[in-house]
Amino acid sequence: MKRHVLSKTRVALTIALCFNSAALMALTMRGGFTIQSANYRVMRGPMFSRWSSNVPMPFAIGQPLRASFDWMRSFNAGASERREIAMTAPAGVRRGSWSRGSLSPFVSEAATAAVSLPVRDLPSVSPYTISSGQREEEGRLSNRSAPPPPGALEKDPVIQTSVEGTAAMPSLGVSFEGITNAEGCGTCFPPDTVGAVGPNHYVQMTNSAFAIYSKTGALISAPKAINTLWSSVPNSTCATHNNGDPVVLYDQLADRWMLSQFTVQSGTENYAECIAISQTSDPTGAYWLYQFDESADTFHDYPHLAIWPDGYYMTTNQFSPNAVGFNDGAGAWAFERPKMILGQAARYVYFDETPLATQTYTPGGQLPTNLEGKNPPPTGSPNYFIEVDDENQPNTPPATGLHDGMHIWKFHVDWTTPANSTFGTGSTPPAPKPGFSGQFAGNAGQPNFNVAIADFVRSPCLLENGPNGCSPEKENPPQAPQYLDVLGDRLMHRVTYRNFGDHESLVVQHTVAAVADEAMGGTRNGIRWYEVRNMSGTPSVYQQGTFAPLDPANPLWRWMGSAAMDHVGNIAVGYSSSGPNQFPSLHYAGRLAGDPLNQLAQGEALLFAGLGNEIQVGVFPLRNRWGDYSALTVDPSDDCTFWYTNEYIAANDFILGVDWRTHIGSFKFPQCTVATPALLSVASRKTHGGAGTFDIPLPQSGTRGVECRSGGVNGDFTIVFTFQFPVVNCGTSPNGAVQPGLTPNECVVQMTGVPSGQYATASLNGVLDNHSNQGNVSATFGVLLGDTTGDGFVNSSDIAQTKSQSGQFVSISNVREDVSVDGNVNSTDIAQVKSKSGTALPTPP
């Protein structure tokens, strides 16, 4: 009886919603009806471009009606062959334009930073209504519609359908709830969950709120609308819009936080990117606020940002009025990070990749590269923009299979002369392509590298085509079978970079169809991941795999991943997972640096079990949208602990309810440790006149080293620490000034006031090497003028040894006898040794 009642209720609700939706469509086409939406994202196109009304509407009716508006607006089309850019500048809004056929840097005027209130003083509720609501299916990338069934040669040669040996993923550490739908945006979906971990905090963002937690899960700052950060500048677009697509990053190099979201055009305003930079390491304090206006007529969707020493880099998928539902190119951006972390007026450099479009290819789905760890890339390194494409190129003969491609662009920004900035390679300027309206040919801006990758098969999941290839949710009668979007046409947040000193590594991942899985009909979704090396030379894939283990008792579809690498080279991936026997949940998998290549050999573990399904209802065609990305980040405190956040669904209690939740959890491979940087040697360094600079070793084991040369009237000594790995930061010392040495592996302490006849200690606190080893080191040595034999006494042996070298020019073999440090061993040195005869060091400490 209960099931029967529910079935009747579903039918009645569906009929009612269909009726209301049809009525609304008729009214809207006549322009005689508007609705109020406190949580609505204004979309592209001139038709239905603005919302305004004083007509409140019940949720159960208003939500599907807003979905209908989204669906109707998808039919909009316009025409524009030129783009007009406007940017917020100190003197107000200035406009400039350029031909769509050019591929040269566009440089904005500087946007002046405003200052936010401290987060604790922000208003608890945003008073603005142009906001984030029902999100239509993420804008499709050109040439990436539903793929045909895979051909005979189209296989996945690197699929992992099992875990060999004993799975040993580490257990979950901290685990706590994040922002809920009610706290985020009320009725919007999906949440686009992101987060980042810092030394003392975890900051999470969703559409369209942010919250701050301690690293034990305590809520420090309750969820607030993102645009409340801009409440101190109430007339700005960033204050009056709360449109979402958020990104939060912790900038380790500057010890700052970056929070961002886009704004969508409303009326005559421009599309813009809003970026806030914390003034200190405390994310609960005040922020420098920037509004970078992007365009008057081109929607820059899906913005993803990354940290690099010379800039904050961003990729976007561009939709102009004539895009007709597909993107017409990618956008590449660099924001002036060196100025932004100081709150100074900052610019951006932008490349429009529209001219790269051809009859069969349009750039899209790119991500910039985000620096992980404290070891920066080599000086002057460009940022790398990555895109993975289903090219189906034949393998070298015999062509028994196919391979796909990873396009890599080098983005070099020049803030001194921004017009000299470069993106990609080639010099021939684009020109109109004969016979193809709106397309351009030329080699400027082409990828620097097209790296061959193992063939993959795109997931055929497109919501408008039904459940084909989409991830099934738990079978849960009386619910009809439910499926979730996988967004398998692009890379997933983030591309991460590490510099290990002897090599550089990128970690990249996206969702694919596991076609080798015949047991499930070849349609399960899995995580394709890559480690790419040799970025400063010719990049190549070091290892790659498709993670899709099969448990027949509980087959899982895996998608919406995020990957990262800890400081010893272990790789982890967090992702969404679901199947006929499992509600959408959060899993994580990984490998140790020494595991067999191409395998996430440590298996997978459950981070959080979901409690319900996302349900598609009647005329609500896009309720099965899932988060467009999730986030896995590495704790800067130890550079070992991974923190992951993603969404799940609460227990289904109301069929029309939108009740996504988010969860945050951490884990760490026990093989990843933080050690004190390995110290190879300690020496005292002095310059001996024209003879050059010489070191006297100061051994730290056995008989302590003795510095027998003069420290001058001030007792000056230069103590050199040499480490196993290059040093990122030499730290501080209570014994004198600290500076880098002559090689990347050295740190120097400049000591003064050290008298002869005693032991001295030189210390370095917080020294950090490029393997993320960090700690304190010290060296104790004796200082005894004239002790050329280094035995702790000055006597006849030292006098005799100095006399034997008299008249010699100083070299490495007799440097100890030049106690006067003038470059020659002569009577002056003999006299000084004789004057100290009978002195000695005290008992070693």
Side-chain angles (χ1 to χ4, degrees):
M1 175 63 71
K2 186 175 182 180
R3 179 178 299 176
H4 178 69
V5 171
L6 284 173
S7 178
K8 283 187 175 181
T9 302
R10 286 171 53 104
V11 172
L13 284 170
T14 300
I15 293 172
L17 292 174
C18 287
F19 173 80
N20 287 332
S21 184
L24 177 61
M25 184 182 298
L27 287 168
T28 305
M29 291 301 184
R30 297 178 56 190
F33 189 86
T34 52
I35 70 171
Q36 180 180 5
S37 173
N39 294 291
Y40 190 77
R41 166 180 163 185
V42 181
M43 288 302 161
R44 52 188 173 274
M47 186 178 180
F48 311 111
S49 61
R50 294 181 296 278
W51 287 87
S52 62
S53 178
N54 296 315
V55 183
M57 188 166 294
F59 167 79
I61 299 176
Q63 189 187 39
L65 292 184
R66 286 191 289 272
S68 298
F69 269 96
D70 281 331
W71 173 75
M72 287 185 287
R73 272 209 316 280
S74 70
F75 290 97
N76 291 331
S80 176
E81 288 305 315
R82 295 179 65 83
R83 296 186 176 179
E84 189 171 48
I85 290 290
M87 49 278 182
T88 301
V93 176
R94 300 280 300 276
R95 297 182 184 272
S97 61
W98 77 101
S99 169
R100 290 189 71 174
S102 79
L103 200 143
S104 57
F106 180 85
V107 185
S108 82
E109 296 186 25
T112 301
V115 180
S116 78
L117 297 171
V119 168
R120 58 184 171 274
D121 296 331
L122 294 176
S124 58
V125 178
S126 171
Y128 307 110
T129 58
I130 305 173
S131 186
S132 180
Q134 150 86 16
R135 310 289 290 272
E136 90 273 25
E137 184 180 6
E138 191 64 40
R140 298 247 302 274
L141 302 184
S142 298
N143 311 315
R144 298 187 184 192
S145 55
L153 295 179
E154 194 171 12
K155 303 291 185 182
D156 190 330
V158 294
I159 191 167
Q160 179 184 345
T161 56
S162 64
V163 178
E164 302 296 333
T166 303
M169 278 304 290
S171 59
L172 191 62
V174 176
S175 179
F176 57 94
E177 284 290 274
I179 299 171
T180 68
N181 184 284
E183 296 168 331
C185 53
T187 62
C188 82
F189 57 90
D192 292 352
T193 313
V194 288
V197 61
N200 303 299
H201 302 85
Y202 189 88
V203 179
Q204 187 191 42
M205 298 181 79
T206 64
N207 292 323
S208 299
F210 73 102
I212 302 172
Y213 305 87
S214 75
K215 289 166 72 171
T216 61
L219 182 62
I220 295 176
S221 175
K224 296 182 179 181
I226 299 170
N227 65 328
T228 60
L229 278 168
W230 276 264
S231 58
S232 60
V233 280
N235 295 322
S236 67
T237 305
C238 291
T240 58
H241 290 63
N242 202 37
N243 298 129
D245 265 22
V247 173
V248 54
L249 299 170
Y250 173 67
D251 185 340
Q252 291 193 56
L253 298 182
D255 195 16
R256 297 290 184 268
W257 295 86
M258 188 205 75
L259 283 66
S260 68
Q261 70 171 346
F262 66 15
T263 69
V264 182
Q265 186 184 68
S266 175
T268 58
E269 296 168 327
N270 295 298
Y271 297 97
E273 188 70 21
C274 307
I275 300 177
I277 307 296
S278 65
Q279 292 187 341
T280 70
S281 61
D282 182 3
T284 69
Y287 285 73
W288 302 114
L289 304 175
Y290 292 90
Q291 176 180 313
F292 293 102
D293 284 4
E294 297 168 318
S295 174
D297 69 349
T298 299
F299 175 37
H300 290 272
D301 195 18
Y302 207 71
H304 278 70
L305 292 96
I307 295 165
W308 206 247
D310 62 1
Y312 293 122
Y313 286 81
M314 182 176 77
T315 55
T316 58
N317 296 324
Q318 302 182 149
F319 293 86
S320 59
N322 62 343
V324 195
F326 288 86
N327 80 302
D328 61 350
W333 307 75
F335 300 98
E336 200 169 7
R337 174 184 174 273
K339 297 291 184 66
M340 295 170 70
I341 60 178
L342 299 175
Q344 299 173 353
R347 300 163 291 177
Y348 67 68
V349 171
Y350 159 66
F351 284 91
D352 175 14
E353 298 177 53
T354 302
L356 302 183
T358 66
Q359 183 65 17
T360 59
Y361 169 74
T362 299
Q366 300 169 356
L367 286 182
T369 296
N370 190 89
L371 173 66
E372 201 90 287
K374 296 182 176 69
N375 190 26
T379 302
S381 293
N383 192 264
Y384 303 101
F385 277 43
I386 313 297
E387 177 180 318
V388 172
D389 292 300
D390 188 10
E391 296 180 330
N392 287 339
Q393 296 294 315
N395 289 334
T396 55
T400 57
L402 304 172
H403 72 79
D404 293 325
M406 179 183 293
H407 290 98
I408 301 178
W409 286 264
K410 292 182 178 182
F411 191 159
H412 169 71
V413 68
D414 184 336
W415 294 117
T416 302
T417 309
N420 290 340
S421 300
T422 58
F423 182 78
T425 187
S427 59
T428 305
K433 188 175 181 180
F436 299 100
S437 176
Q439 295 186 13
F440 300 83
N443 67 358
Q446 296 299 315
N448 295 84
F449 307 101
N450 186 11
V451 179
I453 59 177
D455 189 48
F456 65 86
V457 178
R458 283 186 292 148
S459 172
C461 174
L462 291 171
L463 288 181
E464 64 268 33
N465 293 342
N468 297 330
C470 296
S471 294
E473 302 180 78
K474 183 176 181 179
E475 295 176 359
N476 191 35
Q479 293 176 1
Q482 303 293 322
Y483 299 86
L484 292 173
D485 182 22
V486 303
L487 206 59
D489 64 350
R490 66 197 69 193
L491 295 178
M492 287 283 100
H493 182 75
R494 304 169 296 151
V495 171
T496 59
Y497 165 98
R498 275 193 183 272
N499 185 357
F500 289 96
D502 58 349
H503 71 276
E504 303 166 82
S505 286
L506 295 186
V507 178
V508 186
Q509 54 81 37
H510 57 112
T511 304
V512 300
V515 296
D517 183 8
E518 297 179 1
M520 297 306 300
T523 58
R524 279 194 314 133
N525 295 308
I527 304 295
R528 168 63 73 88
W529 60 275
Y530 314 84
E531 181 184 356
V532 183
R533 292 191 177 184
N534 198 31
M535 300 310 299
S536 295
T538 300
S540 60
V541 174
Y542 177 70
Q543 59 175 330
Q544 58 190 316
T546 297
F547 188 70
L550 174 61
D551 176 0
N554 184 31
L556 292 181
W557 278 245
R558 300 166 177 87
W559 79 103
M560 206 59 64
S562 183
M565 177 184 285
D566 65 24
H567 81 94
V568 298
N570 305 320
I571 294 175
V573 185
Y575 47 87
S576 293
S577 57
S578 69
N581 303 320
Q582 179 180 286
F583 292 124
S585 301
L586 286 65
H587 270 89
Y588 58 99
R591 57 171 280 109
L592 300 177
D595 283 342
L597 295 179
N598 308 315
Q599 300 285 306
L600 297 184
Q602 299 302 304
E604 69 182 340
L606 178 68
L607 190 144
F608 187 81
L611 303 174
N613 287 335
E614 181 72 275
I615 307 169
Q616 182 170 338
V617 181
V619 296
F620 216 157
L622 301 177
R623 274 289 296 275
N624 289 36
R625 290 276 283 106
W626 198 242
D628 292 337
Y629 37 87
S630 61
L632 182 72
T633 55
V634 182
D635 197 322
S637 298
D638 61 7
D639 220 7
C640 288
T641 304
F642 295 93
W643 291 73
Y644 185 60
T645 186
N646 202 342
E647 68 171 297
Y648 70 95
I649 303 298
N652 298 134
D653 56 359
F654 175 45
I655 200 168
L656 289 179
V658 175
D659 200 8
W660 52 257
R661 308 290 177 89
T662 66
H663 201 81
I664 301 159
S666 70
F667 58 94
K668 172 185 174 182
F669 292 106
Q671 294 82 356
C672 183
T673 59
V674 179
T676 300
L679 183 62
L680 298 183
S681 65
V682 181
S684 178
R685 179 172 294 168
K686 284 184 175 296
T687 300
H688 291 249
T693 298
F694 296 89
D695 291 351
I696 288 182
L698 303 175
Q700 296 303 295
S701 60
T703 302
R704 293 193 184 276
V706 177
E707 170 57 270
C708 61
R709 298 171 294 184
S710 171
V713 294
N714 297 319
D716 296 338
F717 293 94
T718 298
I719 307 304
V720 181
F721 294 80
T722 302
F723 296 92
Q724 179 181 4
F725 300 115
V727 176
V728 175
N729 190 324
C730 288
T732 61
S733 175
N735 311 115
V738 178
Q739 64 188 46
L742 298 178
T743 72
N745 296 59
E746 293 181 352
C747 290
V748 170
V749 178
Q750 300 286 0
M751 300 181 70
T752 60
V754 181
S756 180
Q758 69 177 38
Y759 285 95
T761 297
S763 300
L764 284 172
N765 298 332
V767 61
L768 171 71
D769 69 20
N770 70 355
H771 280 54
S772 293
N773 298 308
Q774 188 169 23
N776 303 334
V777 297
S778 64
T780 300
F781 56 95
V783 178
L784 183 58
L785 182 62
D787 183 15
T788 61
T789 60
D791 61 2
F793 302 91
V794 182
N795 52 30
S796 59
S797 297
D798 302 291
I799 297 172
Q801 181 166 304
T802 306
K803 285 182 176 181
S804 71
Q805 298 294 322
S806 182
Q808 302 296 314
F809 195 63
V810 170
S811 66
I812 190 63
S813 63
N814 64 0
V815 64
R816 294 188 65 90
E817 285 71 55
D818 184 20
V819 295
S820 63
V821 201
D822 62 1
N824 295 281
V825 181
N826 51 31
S827 58
T828 302
D829 302 296
I830 297 172
Q832 287 203 27
V833 174
K834 285 182 176 180
S835 71
K836 297 298 181 181
S837 183
T839 60
L841 287 169
T843 302

